[in-house]
Amino acid sequence: MMAFGLIALIAGAASALMFASIVSGALISLVLFYLAPLPLMVASIGWGPLCASLGGITAAIGLGALFGLPYCIAFAVTVALPAWWLGHLILLSRQVSVAAPASATEPPVEPELEWYPVGRLLLWIAGFATLTTIAALLTLGTDAETITGTLQRGLLRILRSTDPQTSAEASQLVDALVRIAPAAATIVAMMTLTLNLWLSAKVTATSGRLRRPWPDLKTAELPPMTLVALCVALAFCFTGGLLAIVAQITTAALMMGYALTGFAVLHTLTLALKSRTFWLGSAYAVVVVFGWPVIAMVILGLADAVFGFRERFLRNRQPPPLPTP
């Protein structure tokens, strides 16, 4: 029990220090800030969600005592809550069937378990990315005009600090950045949460504490109703006001979910290629360097959700059934 509590305290302290490092303003602190959920996620997956919850509560209270209530709430919502809940979902399973032993002398067979699907984990990550981005914007104001005005003034202040003679073209650039800022922040939150979850699972698997088999990531797919939610969110993007901003954030999160499933589709469709590693590496490099080609992955993920490319490809690769005598 003492070791359990010590691990919780260490994970919470590490996450809190990484989260609070952003106050320093150093460039490396931005990396540490985005990796802040990692220690708590490792604790949640390796030692259980209770370990992460104890560490998260302790860290949030410590940050609140040192820096004030806003830091406490921000840490709890953006770091502790996703780490605890996603770690809980990774370990979630249910019995599919119980195989009886062939004879009474044989040892009992372990029941077959169905683990929580990767696609639903992606949907939860999209939900947390949406929640944290909306919460961050609501700290700037409670209506669309106040939020956009605060963002514009902040960006103009940054530009004027580097170039005191800000031109009209710079103002137009600021307006464009303000329009895409909510979606961009959502994409960053989505990708960092996904990266933290993958890294924490890899760490626990390497240490031998991962209590579930490593999932086949090529089979990841979002629930069917996600496409309906995406269409509804897209429709609300044209309403205007705060509702449109929330809809844009939701749309960006769900599209990034389909982009990740698009990569899963790409991994499946390239199984028959001899130079598969080269093509996959090139695809990842192009997306990381240029960014905008991720749209192709979104389209591929959406197309697979509608037409079932992976299912057709795998069905065609299966050998034909043997003829009956």
Side-chain angles (χ1 to χ4, degrees), residues 154-183:
L155 290 173
L156 282 173
R157 194 179 303 115
I158 294 172
L159 287 177
R160 284 168 182 164
S161 64
T162 57
D163 183 12
Q165 296 179 349
T166 305
S167 61
E169 294 181 358
S171 299
Q172 294 176 358
L173 175 62
V174 167
D175 292 338
L177 290 175
V178 166
R179 290 190 184 95
I180 65 173

mmCIF file of all heavy atoms in Angstrom, residues 154-183:
data_model
loop_
_atom_site.group_PDB
_atom_site.id
_atom_site.type_symbol
_atom_site.label_atom_id
_atom_site.label_comp_id
_atom_site.label_asym_id
_atom_site.label_seq_id
_atom_site.Cartn_x
_atom_site.Cartn_y
_atom_site.Cartn_z
ATOM 1 N N GLY A 154 -4.551 39.914 -28.344
ATOM 2 C CA GLY A 154 -3.366 39.175 -27.922
ATOM 3 C C GLY A 154 -2.389 38.949 -29.062
ATOM 4 O O GLY A 154 -1.179 39.143 -28.911
ATOM 5 N N LEU A 155 -2.907 38.555 -30.238
ATOM 6 C CA LEU A 155 -2.027 38.331 -31.384
ATOM 7 C C LEU A 155 -1.408 39.637 -31.876
ATOM 8 O O LEU A 155 -0.231 39.671 -32.262
ATOM 9 C CB LEU A 155 -2.812 37.648 -32.507
ATOM 10 C CG LEU A 155 -3.208 36.191 -32.249
ATOM 11 C CD1 LEU A 155 -4.122 35.678 -33.351
ATOM 12 C CD2 LEU A 155 -1.957 35.315 -32.149
ATOM 13 N N LEU A 156 -2.188 40.722 -31.898
ATOM 14 C CA LEU A 156 -1.637 42.018 -32.312
ATOM 15 C C LEU A 156 -0.553 42.489 -31.349
ATOM 16 O O LEU A 156 0.450 43.088 -31.764
ATOM 17 C CB LEU A 156 -2.761 43.055 -32.391
ATOM 18 C CG LEU A 156 -3.658 42.984 -33.626
ATOM 19 C CD1 LEU A 156 -4.824 43.950 -33.498
ATOM 20 C CD2 LEU A 156 -2.847 43.291 -34.899
ATOM 21 N N ARG A 157 -0.750 42.223 -30.053
ATOM 22 C CA ARG A 157 0.260 42.610 -29.073
ATOM 23 C C ARG A 157 1.572 41.865 -29.320
ATOM 24 O O ARG A 157 2.666 42.422 -29.193
ATOM 25 C CB ARG A 157 -0.259 42.328 -27.659
ATOM 26 C CG ARG A 157 0.559 42.985 -26.557
ATOM 27 C CD ARG A 157 -0.009 42.681 -25.189
ATOM 28 N NE ARG A 157 -1.384 43.101 -25.080
ATOM 29 C CZ ARG A 157 -2.419 42.262 -24.901
ATOM 30 N NH1 ARG A 157 -2.209 40.955 -24.830
ATOM 31 N NH2 ARG A 157 -3.648 42.717 -24.792
ATOM 32 N N ILE A 158 1.435 40.571 -29.680
ATOM 33 C CA ILE A 158 2.633 39.776 -29.972
ATOM 34 C C ILE A 158 3.342 40.304 -31.221
ATOM 35 O O ILE A 158 4.573 40.440 -31.263
ATOM 36 C CB ILE A 158 2.250 38.290 -30.136
ATOM 37 C CG1 ILE A 158 1.750 37.737 -28.804
ATOM 38 C CG2 ILE A 158 3.438 37.477 -30.643
ATOM 39 C CD1 ILE A 158 1.179 36.337 -28.906
ATOM 40 N N LEU A 159 2.553 40.629 -32.259
ATOM 41 C CA LEU A 159 3.145 41.144 -33.491
ATOM 42 C C LEU A 159 3.819 42.496 -33.269
ATOM 43 O O LEU A 159 4.898 42.767 -33.796
ATOM 44 C CB LEU A 159 2.079 41.257 -34.574
ATOM 45 C CG LEU A 159 1.585 39.936 -35.201
ATOM 46 C CD1 LEU A 159 0.479 40.216 -36.194
ATOM 47 C CD2 LEU A 159 2.739 39.206 -35.877
ATOM 48 N N ARG A 160 3.174 43.366 -32.483
ATOM 49 C CA ARG A 160 3.743 44.696 -32.256
ATOM 50 C C ARG A 160 4.990 44.644 -31.388
ATOM 51 O O ARG A 160 5.846 45.541 -31.457
ATOM 52 C CB ARG A 160 2.689 45.597 -31.624
ATOM 53 C CG ARG A 160 1.637 46.066 -32.631
ATOM 54 C CD ARG A 160 0.460 46.710 -31.952
ATOM 55 N NE ARG A 160 -0.555 47.100 -32.935
ATOM 56 C CZ ARG A 160 -1.805 47.403 -32.627
ATOM 57 N NH1 ARG A 160 -2.210 47.358 -31.363
ATOM 58 N NH2 ARG A 160 -2.660 47.737 -33.571
ATOM 59 N N SER A 161 5.086 43.612 -30.546
ATOM 60 C CA SER A 161 6.299 43.478 -29.732
ATOM 61 C C SER A 161 7.506 43.111 -30.595
ATOM 62 O O SER A 161 8.647 43.453 -30.273
ATOM 63 C CB SER A 161 6.102 42.414 -28.653
ATOM 64 O OG SER A 161 5.895 41.138 -29.240
ATOM 65 N N THR A 162 7.261 42.402 -31.706
ATOM 66 C CA THR A 162 8.349 42.054 -32.633
ATOM 67 C C THR A 162 8.551 43.121 -33.704
ATOM 68 O O THR A 162 9.668 43.377 -34.145
ATOM 69 C CB THR A 162 8.066 40.707 -33.304
ATOM 70 O OG1 THR A 162 6.796 40.766 -33.977
ATOM 71 C CG2 THR A 162 8.019 39.593 -32.269
ATOM 72 N N ASP A 163 7.426 43.748 -34.139
ATOM 73 C CA ASP A 163 7.492 44.783 -35.180
ATOM 74 C C ASP A 163 6.538 45.910 -34.792
ATOM 75 O O ASP A 163 5.319 45.778 -34.962
ATOM 76 C CB ASP A 163 7.108 44.195 -36.540
ATOM 77 C CG ASP A 163 7.240 45.229 -37.662
ATOM 78 O OD1 ASP A 163 7.827 46.301 -37.411
ATOM 79 O OD2 ASP A 163 6.765 44.949 -38.777
ATOM 80 N N PRO A 164 7.050 47.007 -34.225
ATOM 81 C CA PRO A 164 6.162 48.080 -33.757
ATOM 82 C C PRO A 164 5.287 48.672 -34.854
ATOM 83 O O PRO A 164 4.179 49.152 -34.586
ATOM 84 C CB PRO A 164 7.130 49.129 -33.198
ATOM 85 C CG PRO A 164 8.374 48.365 -32.888
ATOM 86 C CD PRO A 164 8.454 47.282 -33.927
ATOM 87 N N GLN A 165 5.745 48.679 -36.105
ATOM 88 C CA GLN A 165 4.966 49.258 -37.205
ATOM 89 C C GLN A 165 4.162 48.145 -37.895
ATOM 90 O O GLN A 165 4.532 47.645 -38.958
ATOM 91 C CB GLN A 165 5.903 49.947 -38.192
ATOM 92 C CG GLN A 165 6.650 51.137 -37.590
ATOM 93 C CD GLN A 165 7.579 51.782 -38.590
ATOM 94 O OE1 GLN A 165 7.838 51.249 -39.662
ATOM 95 N NE2 GLN A 165 8.093 52.960 -38.234
ATOM 96 N N THR A 166 3.084 47.750 -37.251
ATOM 97 C CA THR A 166 2.250 46.683 -37.784
ATOM 98 C C THR A 166 1.399 47.230 -38.919
ATOM 99 O O THR A 166 0.701 48.235 -38.769
ATOM 100 C CB THR A 166 1.342 46.107 -36.688
ATOM 101 O OG1 THR A 166 2.164 45.685 -35.599
ATOM 102 C CG2 THR A 166 0.544 44.927 -37.208
ATOM 103 N N SER A 167 1.433 46.576 -40.071
ATOM 104 C CA SER A 167 0.713 47.046 -41.247
ATOM 105 C C SER A 167 -0.699 46.490 -41.279
ATOM 106 O O SER A 167 -1.097 45.660 -40.466
ATOM 107 C CB SER A 167 1.465 46.622 -42.515
ATOM 108 O OG SER A 167 1.545 45.215 -42.588
ATOM 109 N N ALA A 168 -1.462 46.963 -42.278
ATOM 110 C CA ALA A 168 -2.833 46.464 -42.440
ATOM 111 C C ALA A 168 -2.848 45.006 -42.845
ATOM 112 O O ALA A 168 -3.765 44.258 -42.485
ATOM 113 C CB ALA A 168 -3.565 47.320 -43.474
ATOM 114 N N GLU A 169 -1.819 44.599 -43.609
ATOM 115 C CA GLU A 169 -1.749 43.189 -43.992
ATOM 116 C C GLU A 169 -1.574 42.292 -42.770
ATOM 117 O O GLU A 169 -2.125 41.194 -42.716
ATOM 118 C CB GLU A 169 -0.583 42.977 -44.966
ATOM 119 C CG GLU A 169 -0.794 43.675 -46.310
ATOM 120 C CD GLU A 169 0.377 43.418 -47.258
ATOM 121 O OE1 GLU A 169 1.334 42.741 -46.824
ATOM 122 O OE2 GLU A 169 0.309 43.880 -48.401
ATOM 123 N N ALA A 170 -0.822 42.770 -41.781
ATOM 124 C CA ALA A 170 -0.656 42.006 -40.551
ATOM 125 C C ALA A 170 -1.979 41.879 -39.810
ATOM 126 O O ALA A 170 -2.280 40.827 -39.226
ATOM 127 C CB ALA A 170 0.388 42.662 -39.662
ATOM 128 N N SER A 171 -2.786 42.927 -39.846
ATOM 129 C CA SER A 171 -4.106 42.855 -39.210
ATOM 130 C C SER A 171 -4.995 41.828 -39.897
ATOM 131 O O SER A 171 -5.745 41.095 -39.236
ATOM 132 C CB SER A 171 -4.768 44.234 -39.234
ATOM 133 O OG SER A 171 -3.992 45.179 -38.530
ATOM 134 N N GLN A 172 -4.918 41.772 -41.226
ATOM 135 C CA GLN A 172 -5.674 40.748 -41.937
ATOM 136 C C GLN A 172 -5.187 39.350 -41.599
ATOM 137 O O GLN A 172 -5.981 38.410 -41.471
ATOM 138 C CB GLN A 172 -5.562 40.992 -43.443
ATOM 139 C CG GLN A 172 -6.230 42.285 -43.912
ATOM 140 C CD GLN A 172 -6.014 42.543 -45.393
ATOM 141 O OE1 GLN A 172 -5.328 41.774 -46.072
ATOM 142 N NE2 GLN A 172 -6.597 43.628 -45.893
ATOM 143 N N LEU A 173 -3.875 39.191 -41.424
ATOM 144 C CA LEU A 173 -3.322 37.899 -41.018
ATOM 145 C C LEU A 173 -3.829 37.512 -39.640
ATOM 146 O O LEU A 173 -4.169 36.341 -39.395
ATOM 147 C CB LEU A 173 -1.792 37.971 -41.030
ATOM 148 C CG LEU A 173 -1.047 36.727 -40.523
ATOM 149 C CD1 LEU A 173 -1.357 35.515 -41.403
ATOM 150 C CD2 LEU A 173 0.449 36.986 -40.453
ATOM 151 N N VAL A 174 -3.894 38.489 -38.740
ATOM 152 C CA VAL A 174 -4.402 38.216 -37.394
ATOM 153 C C VAL A 174 -5.853 37.764 -37.450
ATOM 154 O O VAL A 174 -6.257 36.821 -36.755
ATOM 155 C CB VAL A 174 -4.240 39.466 -36.503
ATOM 156 C CG1 VAL A 174 -5.042 39.320 -35.217
ATOM 157 C CG2 VAL A 174 -2.778 39.703 -36.197
ATOM 158 N N ASP A 175 -6.661 38.433 -38.277
ATOM 159 C CA ASP A 175 -8.066 38.029 -38.415
ATOM 160 C C ASP A 175 -8.189 36.589 -38.908
ATOM 161 O O ASP A 175 -9.036 35.826 -38.429
ATOM 162 C CB ASP A 175 -8.782 38.970 -39.386
ATOM 163 C CG ASP A 175 -8.917 40.378 -38.834
ATOM 164 O OD1 ASP A 175 -8.855 40.531 -37.587
ATOM 165 O OD2 ASP A 175 -9.072 41.326 -39.622
ATOM 166 N N ALA A 176 -7.325 36.220 -39.865
ATOM 167 C CA ALA A 176 -7.363 34.846 -40.375
ATOM 168 C C ALA A 176 -6.934 33.850 -39.299
ATOM 169 O O ALA A 176 -7.533 32.776 -39.160
ATOM 170 C CB ALA A 176 -6.465 34.722 -41.598
ATOM 171 N N LEU A 177 -5.907 34.216 -38.521
ATOM 172 C CA LEU A 177 -5.453 33.327 -37.456
ATOM 173 C C LEU A 177 -6.503 33.155 -36.371
ATOM 174 O O LEU A 177 -6.657 32.063 -35.813
ATOM 175 C CB LEU A 177 -4.149 33.869 -36.845
ATOM 176 C CG LEU A 177 -2.909 33.803 -37.733
ATOM 177 C CD1 LEU A 177 -1.739 34.482 -37.038
ATOM 178 C CD2 LEU A 177 -2.560 32.362 -38.075
ATOM 179 N N VAL A 178 -7.234 34.229 -36.082
ATOM 180 C CA VAL A 178 -8.283 34.148 -35.063
ATOM 181 C C VAL A 178 -9.381 33.188 -35.499
ATOM 182 O O VAL A 178 -9.935 32.436 -34.684
ATOM 183 C CB VAL A 178 -8.852 35.552 -34.782
ATOM 184 C CG1 VAL A 178 -10.157 35.466 -33.984
ATOM 185 C CG2 VAL A 178 -7.834 36.382 -34.028
ATOM 186 N N ARG A 179 -9.685 33.173 -36.798
ATOM 187 C CA ARG A 179 -10.742 32.283 -37.295
ATOM 188 C C ARG A 179 -10.354 30.815 -37.166
ATOM 189 O O ARG A 179 -11.195 29.963 -36.888
ATOM 190 C CB ARG A 179 -11.065 32.618 -38.748
ATOM 191 C CG ARG A 179 -11.761 33.953 -38.938
ATOM 192 C CD ARG A 179 -12.278 34.114 -40.353
ATOM 193 N NE ARG A 179 -12.856 35.432 -40.570
ATOM 194 C CZ ARG A 179 -12.208 36.462 -41.084
ATOM 195 N NH1 ARG A 179 -10.939 36.313 -41.449
ATOM 196 N NH2 ARG A 179 -12.795 37.628 -41.244
ATOM 197 N N ILE A 180 -9.079 30.513 -37.401
ATOM 198 C CA ILE A 180 -8.667 29.107 -37.367
ATOM 199 C C ILE A 180 -8.098 28.693 -36.006
ATOM 200 O O ILE A 180 -7.810 27.505 -35.804
ATOM 201 C CB ILE A 180 -7.612 28.818 -38.455
ATOM 202 C CG1 ILE A 180 -6.317 29.586 -38.168
ATOM 203 C CG2 ILE A 180 -8.151 29.164 -39.833
ATOM 204 C CD1 ILE A 180 -5.181 29.217 -39.097
ATOM 205 N N ALA A 181 -7.954 29.648 -35.085
ATOM 206 C CA ALA A 181 -7.326 29.334 -33.793
ATOM 207 C C ALA A 181 -8.072 28.261 -33.007
ATOM 208 O O ALA A 181 -7.439 27.335 -32.486
ATOM 209 C CB ALA A 181 -7.186 30.612 -32.962
ATOM 210 N N PRO A 182 -9.421 28.321 -32.877
ATOM 211 C CA PRO A 182 -10.097 27.261 -32.117
ATOM 212 C C PRO A 182 -9.891 25.871 -32.702
ATOM 213 O O PRO A 182 -9.606 24.914 -31.966
ATOM 214 C CB PRO A 182 -11.570 27.681 -32.178
ATOM 215 C CG PRO A 182 -11.538 29.146 -32.411
ATOM 216 C CD PRO A 182 -10.361 29.384 -33.284
ATOM 217 N N ALA A 183 -9.999 25.744 -34.030
ATOM 218 C CA ALA A 183 -9.800 24.441 -34.664
ATOM 219 C C ALA A 183 -8.354 23.978 -34.512
ATOM 220 O O ALA A 183 -8.087 22.799 -34.255
ATOM 221 C CB ALA A 183 -10.183 24.504 -36.141
#
